[in-house]
Amino acid sequence: VQLQASGGGLVQPGGSLRLSCAASGFALDDYGIAWFRQAPGKEREGVSYINVIRKFYGDSVKGRFTISRDNAKNTVYLQMNSLKPEDTAVYYCARASGRLLSSLWRAPPNYTNWGQETLVTVSS
């Protein structure tokens, strides 16, 4: 099982980025995939989650971020629009232990596999 995150970079406030999480060794239909982020001095925060029937978003990104997946490419995307300086963090994608309920997706212990970080910096 591998998760390869990419797409981070430097962007001005109000700009957009799209993160990609390329998965290998398993089928997306069988597991949930989430994006987490961690800013310096802060706890890891659940950003968004997707499985075959559900999508969830953290309160701070609702209406700005969109999670999607391409089964043919076995890849999950996070489209981030209207970026703010407070979105600056390292972002990770992670595979859940199964299909999680809304009450469970934010908890890192429910994820068994993590990709490497990709840094997003929002600054003018």
Side-chain angles (χ1 to χ4, degrees), residues 54-74:
R54 292 185 176 92
K55 298 180 183 180
F56 301 127
Y57 295 93
D59 291 341
S60 62
V61 307
K62 281 180 183 176
R64 300 188 298 121
F65 290 10
T66 302
I67 194 168
S68 64
R69 61 185 204 166
D70 183 335
N71 280 7
K73 295 182 178 180
N74 224 37

Side-chain angles (χ1 to χ4, degrees), residues 5-124:
S6 61
L10 172 64
V11 63
Q12 292 187 341
S16 298
L17 281 176
R18 188 179 78 160
L19 304 184
S20 300
C21 177
S24 59
F26 68 96
L28 289 181
D29 276 353
D30 296 332
Y31 296 90
I33 300 291
W35 286 96
F36 285 81
R37 68 186 182 187
Q38 189 164 19
K42 294 189 177 181
E43 292 187 353
R44 193 166 294 193
E45 172 191 16
V47 176
S48 187
Y49 168 91
I50 188 170
N51 65 25
V52 69
I53 56 174
R54 292 185 176 92
K55 298 180 183 180
F56 301 127
Y57 295 93
D59 291 341
S60 62
V61 307
K62 281 180 183 176
R64 300 188 298 121
F65 290 10
T66 302
I67 194 168
S68 64
R69 61 185 204 166
D70 183 335
N71 280 7
K73 295 182 178 180
N74 224 37
T75 298
V76 172
Y77 302 99
L78 185 69
Q79 178 66 43
M80 306 186 296
N81 298 329
S82 303
L83 282 161
K84 304 175 180 179
E86 50 264 43
D87 295 316
T88 295
V90 292
Y91 284 70
Y92 304 86
C93 59
R95 189 187 83 167
S97 55
R99 296 178 186 172
L100 301 179
L101 300 175
S102 60
S103 59
L104 298 175
W105 75 270
R106 291 181 177 86
N110 291 320
Y111 295 82
T112 56
N113 302 89
W114 293 79
Q116 87 289 354
E117 63 190 46
T118 186
L119 176 62
V120 173
T121 303
V122 185
S123 175
S124 55

